[in-house]
Amino acid sequence: MNKSILHLDLDTFFVSCERLINKELIGVPVLIGGTSDRGVVAACSYEARTYGIHSAMPMRMARQLCPHAKVIRGNSQAYSEYSNTITDIIRERSPLFEKSSIDEFYIDVTGMDRYIKTTYLWAKELREEIIHETKLPISFGLSTSKTVAKVGTGEAKPNNHIQIETGYEKPFLAPLSIKKIPMVGNKTYHLLRRMGIERVRTVQEMPPELLERVLGKNGIAIWKKAQGIDNTPVVAWSERKSISTERTFEQDTTDVYTLKSILVGMAESLAYQLRNSNKLTSCVSVKVRYSDFQTHTKQKHIPYTSLDHTLIETVKDLFDKVYNRRVLVRLIGVRFSNLVGGSYQIRLFEDSFKMIKLYQAMDKLRGRYGEDAVKRAQGMRARHVKQMNPFNGQMDGAIISPKPEVRSQKMIRGA
């Protein structure tokens, strides 16, 4: 039996949410992201795209291209609420679905045509229900694999739908730009263009060994996707609510500098895990347990992020508020919750394009040489051992606190 995979994607999700809140934004160019000149465009309307604006573009450049665009910092709480409403609708009606990001879903509808007239009709009814309940535009592609369904959604936009039936996957993909294939980023695209490859049809006609010599294993994967071959399953979605770490001291302490140093190391480690797993958080919590076992926790809601400097400052601020007894501390912990899918390269509300580039470079070094390759000086008082990353099941760094009485005169301070 051929698979039947449905891919749904909300059109310009953040912009569409803002237009429900403010009707004056309908029909005008809208930019969402950092509002200063150093900011980054997180999302833009179709009207803004006609000026050459795209996500991840510096806000200063976007404003130059479209001076009359409406610039909005965004409303993370509203976006989450709309996303949760849509998730509930899909959960109620779907046999198996995967939420790949805040505004994107896969549904495995294989075999449903035994019980309904057609899966395509069912998908149209689901889309209509989502539009009726939320008033948000949404597009979908229905085909035999995740790859073809996702590409189909892109071709159906804006606010439309398409079905690519069994046997028509290759003809559908053939005339499209090679950049439409998932896994083909800017760097790979420019490399393929230098090879004279512009359309998917060319890749379909090439021997896979040639792409493998140029791109390694990724070359084989791209060749298969160009053929419409993708056996990646829809993974049953269960929302992970939070990620956390905490440490109990071998000896209780009131050394505030050591406590803050360990908290910085914890926040830095958790933030890297978020970015490495394409996750964002909007709620930060700090826990302090005293020697008499009394435990105090304080949390704060922030715009969605996975960047160290924002999370570290929030953690330190929460610690200053929660640690008020001035007695021996037995345990401290950090927790990030309200997690959603999202990539830090396209930051929702951060104000620094250069900061994003810095994090990309730092994470590249960590990925190559290990998590300890780049660390903040203040967080160096926490050394790392191996523990399980809750997102991927692999071993990552965990924070182990130093004995509070051990203080090095060579330790860098004040970072």
Side-chain angles (χ1 to χ4, degrees), residues 143-153 164 169 172-173 225 228:
S143 192
T144 55
S145 69
K146 277 186 169 183
T147 292
V148 182
K150 182 177 177 68
V151 175
T153 302
I164 302 95
E169 298 91 347
F172 166 73
L173 295 171
K225 289 179 183 293

Side-chain angles (χ1 to χ4, degrees), residues 314-330:
T314 304
V315 166
K316 291 164 69 175
D317 179 60
L318 288 172
F319 175 76
D320 289 338
K321 293 177 180 178
V322 74
Y323 178 58
N324 51 21
R325 295 185 63 199
R326 302 299 184 261
V327 297
L328 291 171
V329 172
R330 174 183 178 85

Side-chain angles (χ1 to χ4, degrees), residues 145-255:
S145 69
K146 277 186 169 183
T147 292
V148 182
K150 182 177 177 68
V151 175
T153 302
E155 294 302 293
K157 289 187 175 186
N159 200 25
N160 213 327
H161 48 82
I162 189 174
Q163 181 181 19
I164 302 95
E165 296 182 348
T166 304
Y168 290 89
E169 298 91 347
K170 286 182 67 174
F172 166 73
L173 295 171
L176 302 179
S177 168
I178 188 62
K179 200 169 186 179
K180 299 276 187 171
I181 299 295
M183 290 184 62
V184 179
N186 287 331
K187 187 175 181 180
T188 302
Y189 172 71
H190 290 303
L191 175 60
L192 293 173
R193 289 293 290 115
R194 288 196 295 271
M195 295 172 61
I197 301 172
E198 182 178 0
R199 302 292 172 186
V200 176
R201 179 182 291 107
T202 307
V203 176
Q204 291 176 344
E205 297 170 351
M206 293 173 62
E209 295 80 12
L210 177 57
L211 277 182
E212 185 179 23
R213 284 201 297 270
V214 176
L215 299 172
K217 292 182 179 179
N218 284 342
I220 295 294
I222 291 172
W223 183 86
K224 287 183 177 179
K225 289 179 183 293
Q227 313 297 323
I229 302 171
D230 179 10
N231 296 320
T232 306
V234 173
V235 179
W237 183 73
S238 59
E239 184 176 15
R240 183 174 181 86
K241 300 294 184 181
S242 65
I243 178 174
S244 63
T245 185
E246 58 184 39
R247 291 295 173 264
T248 302
F249 293 102
E250 295 179 8
Q251 178 179 333
D252 298 348
T253 181
T254 56
D255 188 337

Side-chain angles (χ1 to χ4, degrees), residues 232-328:
T232 306
V234 173
V235 179
W237 183 73
S238 59
E239 184 176 15
R240 183 174 181 86
K241 300 294 184 181
S242 65
I243 178 174
S244 63
T245 185
E246 58 184 39
R247 291 295 173 264
T248 302
F249 293 102
E250 295 179 8
Q251 178 179 333
D252 298 348
T253 181
T254 56
D255 188 337
V256 174
Y257 180 79
T258 295
L259 293 173
K260 284 189 175 182
S261 174
I262 296 165
L263 288 170
V264 168
M266 287 179 169
E268 190 174 15
S269 178
L270 291 177
Y272 174 65
Q273 287 186 27
L274 288 177
R275 294 195 300 274
N276 199 38
S277 305
N278 288 325
K279 297 287 184 179
L280 307 172
T281 181
S282 67
C283 185
V284 179
S285 306
V286 170
K287 178 165 72 173
V288 175
R289 179 171 295 157
Y290 297 100
S291 55
D292 58 3
F293 286 89
Q294 288 194 35
T295 303
H296 297 265
T297 304
K298 204 165 193 66
Q299 71 177 27
K300 181 179 181 181
H301 289 274
I302 60 174
Y304 279 106
T305 188
S306 60
L307 301 186
D308 294 2
H309 65 281
T310 301
L311 295 169
I312 287 173
E313 288 305 313
T314 304
V315 166
K316 291 164 69 175
D317 179 60
L318 288 172
F319 175 76
D320 289 338
K321 293 177 180 178
V322 74
Y323 178 58
N324 51 21
R325 295 185 63 199
R326 302 299 184 261
V327 297
L328 291 171

